[in-house]
Amino acid sequence: QVQLVESGGGLVQPGGSLTLSCFASGLPFSRYHMGWFRRAPGNEREVVAAIYYTGGSTYYSDSVKARFTIFRANAKKTVYLQMNNLKPEDTAVYYCAARDNKRSGSYFSMPYDYWGQGTQVTVSS
């Protein structure tokens, strides 16, 4: 049974930082691309960042580029999202997801195969 469990969300002031973690079990983690997505109230889910299964390439949406960093520790079966200089518009539920590296298409594009339950990030003073 595949499980992705996010942690690290919470309330932070504008300009602050948070690091999200996602632990994966039940799948060969090192063979999966990993992504972070978010959904804000009233908005569609959007990709925030993604990392190639080897860790050799990363992707960021324009809205978070230069503020967020995605990285992975394959030995720990964990992917992280370091978020700096947070803004109120970053408020959303953040989800991690796994994509089989054998799928065709870009590693940061849908579809993703497995999803976590999400963790709330609220940026407010």
Side-chain angles (χ1 to χ4, degrees), residues 29-34 50-60 70-74 79 101 107-108:
F29 182 77
S30 62
R31 299 180 193 174
Y32 279 75
H33 308 309
M34 297 300 295
I51 186 165
Y52 204 69
Y53 75 103
T54 62
S57 181
T58 56
Y59 165 87
Y60 298 95
I70 186 171
F71 55 102
R72 64 191 295 161
N74 283 354
V79 62
N101 81 82
Y107 67 95
F108 48 85

Side-chain angles (χ1 to χ4, degrees), residues 37-55:
F37 296 77
R38 68 186 180 189
R39 177 177 282 156
N43 288 1
E44 302 220 341
R45 182 176 55 195
E46 61 172 346
V47 60
V48 174
I51 186 165
Y52 204 69
Y53 75 103
T54 62

Side-chain angles (χ1 to χ4, degrees), residues 35-97:
W36 284 97
F37 296 77
R38 68 186 180 189
R39 177 177 282 156
N43 288 1
E44 302 220 341
R45 182 176 55 195
E46 61 172 346
V47 60
V48 174
I51 186 165
Y52 204 69
Y53 75 103
T54 62
S57 181
T58 56
Y59 165 87
Y60 298 95
S61 68
D62 287 343
S63 60
V64 307
K65 204 170 291 184
R67 299 189 298 123
F68 290 12
T69 303
I70 186 171
F71 55 102
R72 64 191 295 161
N74 283 354
K76 295 183 178 180
K77 299 183 179 182
T78 301
V79 62
Y80 305 90
L81 185 68
Q82 170 71 43
M83 306 185 293
N84 297 326
N85 190 22
L86 282 159
K87 305 175 180 181
E89 51 264 41
D90 294 317
T91 296
V93 178
Y94 284 71
Y95 301 88
C96 78

Side-chain angles (χ1 to χ4, degrees), residues 2-24:
V2 176
Q3 281 193 310
L4 303 179
V5 180
E6 303 98 335
S7 60
L11 173 65
V12 63
Q13 292 187 340
S17 297
L18 279 176
T19 299
L20 305 183
S21 301
C22 172
F23 174 72

